[in-house]
């Protein structure tokens, strides 16, 4: 690596997907950019569920498919409802190369390498403790007693945004604005994995599990197939978990893995890693008041850029793309004469026009939907008893409508809530 | 794999840390004592908060740096920093 310059055009806080993508764009356009990472290597502090959507990443990194660490293409989507020992699933095969599984630690390391080969400096092992300010203008960053200056700072510090809190830009996180994700990555025999999940070479499965997964706490479970391992975990809204947790959170992951209908997938497996991370929820209230300030842009989880669709999350592609837009905004502000809030506000406009803000607004009701307890308790129970009525036959059979209504009644669901919840689901998703 | 849930200690043993000799989390014992709900005990994924004789015992070494304790503590008794200079959890497969 060449000698680092005394002053940088841009400093990026955090070598995660957002930070690396910002640095990659800026370095490719000839800007002197440094990424400061608290971990020992880029990716060593990153956690995700298990799947990344391709399209945004392909725009940022044109050669993405050729060299990125893609484990398996998700060709098989499954949504399941768990109730007691019953498991009801919808299986969809058809998506070709829209999303893939990987380890985020690996993907982020790859992004950092791309940024570095484009000319960015990556400094590991340094925790940024605050912003360096002159008046209201951000002019650099502080790491303990040391400071580094730059024309602009891109804050991509992640969901635990200590730097932004200390600068008075955001309030501490509230339990209603985040969910907790807890996950195990377990090693399995690749042949057994392919057989159990019904996958051909290079094919993968993304599996969402609803119902009896988190003991009634709003949330759910997930399973992703990696190359020769499986990621399994649970997500729970933190405010719901505070009042609803009845056992330690790791037990919910273990419980899912040991579910009578799931245990066969984890035969002879062994845990490779156990991780946990906070996930943005209710993102419209989690977002900072502005995305662009004098000398400062905010990207990735720190800005709340993560989409919860109820049945799947989009975090890594949203974060990466926001970093990429932050890079573009810096380039444009440079052309306009400097890093004032006004010049940098082009970032906000680009976000508004992109899929990021459009989707976050469109699906802003999903967090509310997840708080509808019936969806996580009564409905899985109802569907399970409906299926039991339909398939667990001895002699007599009933019409499906009769079965549906009696299953609803068995689980305390009125016709009115059937209709109103149906409308709510259709309008929020 | 056994058919019983594994112990948290055994699960955590698969991880790698470079433990900072200085704790990156401190708990205000005075504030903590007055808490009657202590959501940290069940919600810390690494089990860093345990109860011993009705007193909360805290250890930071196995922390996975999610930040949950800081958000759920109703007494604002948790002072939370990132571990310094590359220390703490080192994720490889997450």
């Amino acid at each position: 690596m060449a000698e680092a310059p005394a002053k940088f055009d841009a400093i990026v806080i955090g070598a995660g997907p957002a930070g690396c993508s910002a640095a990659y764009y800026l370095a490719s356009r000839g800007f002197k950019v440094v990424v400061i990472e608290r971990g020992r290597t880029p990716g060593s502090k990153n956690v995700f569920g298990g799947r990344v959507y391709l399209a945004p990443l392909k725009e940022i990194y044109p050669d993405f498919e050729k060299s990125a660490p893609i484990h398996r293409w998700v060709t098989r989507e499954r949504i399941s409802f768990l109730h007691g020992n019953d498991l009801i699933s919808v299986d969809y095969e058809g998506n070709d190369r829209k999303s893939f599984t990987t380890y985020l630690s690996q993907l982020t390391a790859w992004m950092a390498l791309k940024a570095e080969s484009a000319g960015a400096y990556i400094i590991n092992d340094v925790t940024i403790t605050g912003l360096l300010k002159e008046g209201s203008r951000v002019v650099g960053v502080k790491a303990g007693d040391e400071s580094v200056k730059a024309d602009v700072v891109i804050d991509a510090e992640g969901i635990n945004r200590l730097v932004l809190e200390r600068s008075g830009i955001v309030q501490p996180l509230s339990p209603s604005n985040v969910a907790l994700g807890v996950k195990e990555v377990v090693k399995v025999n690749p042949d057994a994995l392919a057989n159990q999940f019904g996958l051909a070479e290079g094919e993968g499965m993304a599996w969402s599990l609803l119902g009896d997964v988190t003991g009634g706490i709003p949330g759910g479970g997930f399973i992703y197939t990696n190359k020769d391992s499986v990621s399994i975990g649970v997500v729970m809204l933190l405010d719901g978990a505070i009042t609803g947790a009845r056992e330690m959170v790791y037990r919910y992951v273990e419980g899912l893995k040991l579910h009578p209908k799931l245990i066969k997938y984890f035969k002879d497996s062994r845990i490779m890693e156990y991780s946990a991370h906070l996930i943005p929820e209710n993102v419209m209230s989690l977002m900072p008041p502005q995305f662009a300030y004098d000398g400062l842009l905010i990207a990735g989880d720190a800005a709340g850029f993560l989409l919860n669709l109820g049945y799947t999350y989009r975090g890594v592609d949203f974060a990466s793309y926001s970093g990429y837009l932050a890079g573009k905004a810096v380039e444009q502000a440079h052309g306009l004469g400097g890093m004032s809030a006004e010049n940098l506000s082009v970032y906000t406009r680009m976000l508004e026009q992109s899929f990021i803000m459009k989707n976050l607004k469109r699906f802003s009701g999903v967090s509310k939907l997840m708080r509808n307890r019936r969806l996580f308790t009564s409905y899985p129970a109802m569907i399970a008893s409906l299926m039991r009525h339909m398939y667990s036959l001895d002699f007599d059979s009933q019409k499906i409508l009769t079965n549906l209504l009696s299953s609803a009644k068995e689980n305390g669901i009125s016709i009115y809530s059937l209709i109103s919840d149906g409308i709510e689901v259709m309008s929020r998703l | 794999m056994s058919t019983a849930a594994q112990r948290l200690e055994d699960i955590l043993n698969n991880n790698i840390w470079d433990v900072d000799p200085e704790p990156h989390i401190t708990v205000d014992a005075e504030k903590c004592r007055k808490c009657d709900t202590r959501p940290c005990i069940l919600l810390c994924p690494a089990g860093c908060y345990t109860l011993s004789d009705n007193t909360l015992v805290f250890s930071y070494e196995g922390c996975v740096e999610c930040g949950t304790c800081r958000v759920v503590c109703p007494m604002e008794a948790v002072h939370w920093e990132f571990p310094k200079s590359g220390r703490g959890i080192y994720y490889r497969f997450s």
Side-chain angles (χ1 to χ4, degrees), chain B residues 16 66 70:
Chain B
I16 292 180
C66 63
R70 186 171 172 263

Side-chain angles (χ1 to χ4, degrees), chain A residues 99-281:
Chain A
S99 66
F100 60 90
T101 62
T102 184
Y103 297 145
L104 187 55
S105 332
Q106 283 180 355
L107 180 61
T108 306
W110 178 88
M111 289 178 177
L113 215 56
K114 294 295 288 182
E116 217 164 20
S117 50
Y121 295 87
I122 312 264
I123 297 177
N124 295 306
D125 293 335
V126 176
T127 307
I128 300 296
T129 50
L131 297 172
L132 192 66
K133 281 183 160 183
E134 278 173 13
S136 64
R137 187 186 178 88
V138 175
V139 296
V141 295
K142 290 186 278 193
D145 299 333
E146 292 184 64
S147 58
V148 192
K149 284 192 161 190
D151 294 335
V152 66
V153 172
I154 298 173
D155 186 314
E157 62 182 315
I159 184 66
N160 287 305
R161 35 194 193 174
L162 301 186
V163 172
L164 291 181
E165 274 183 32
R166 270 173 210 148
S167 314
I169 292 172
V170 299
Q171 293 297 307
L173 294 171
S174 129
S176 60
N177 288 346
V178 281
L180 170 61
V182 186
K183 155 176 124 164
E184 289 178 9
V185 177
V186 299
K187 186 102 185 155
V188 290
N189 174 312
D191 293 333
L193 186 152
N195 287 338
Q196 280 291 357
F197 289 89
L199 302 168
E201 171 96 29
E203 291 184 350
M205 182 191 282
W207 191 348
S208 311
L209 299 120
L210 301 171
D212 273 352
V213 178
T214 43
I217 301 167
F222 59 83
I223 292 172
Y224 295 101
T225 58
N226 307 313
K227 197 168 188 194
D228 50 11
S229 69
V230 175
S231 299
I232 176 167
V234 300
V235 172
M236 44 183 83
L237 298 187
L238 214 41
D239 54 356
I242 288 174
T243 50
R246 293 288 168 266
E247 50 187 343
M248 292 184 74
V249 290
Y250 83 94
R251 303 272 309 189
Y252 294 108
V253 184
E254 283 287 298
L256 188 61
K257 208 169 71 176
L258 296 169
H259 185 279
K261 298 295 182 292
L262 298 177
I263 192 165
K264 64 180 177 202
Y265 296 98
F266 300 97
K267 210 170 143 254
D268 301 323
S269 68
R270 70 171 174 82
I271 300 173
M272 297 166 71
E273 196 161 77
Y274 173 75
S275 54
H277 207 266
L278 292 180
I279 303 163
E281 290 286 346

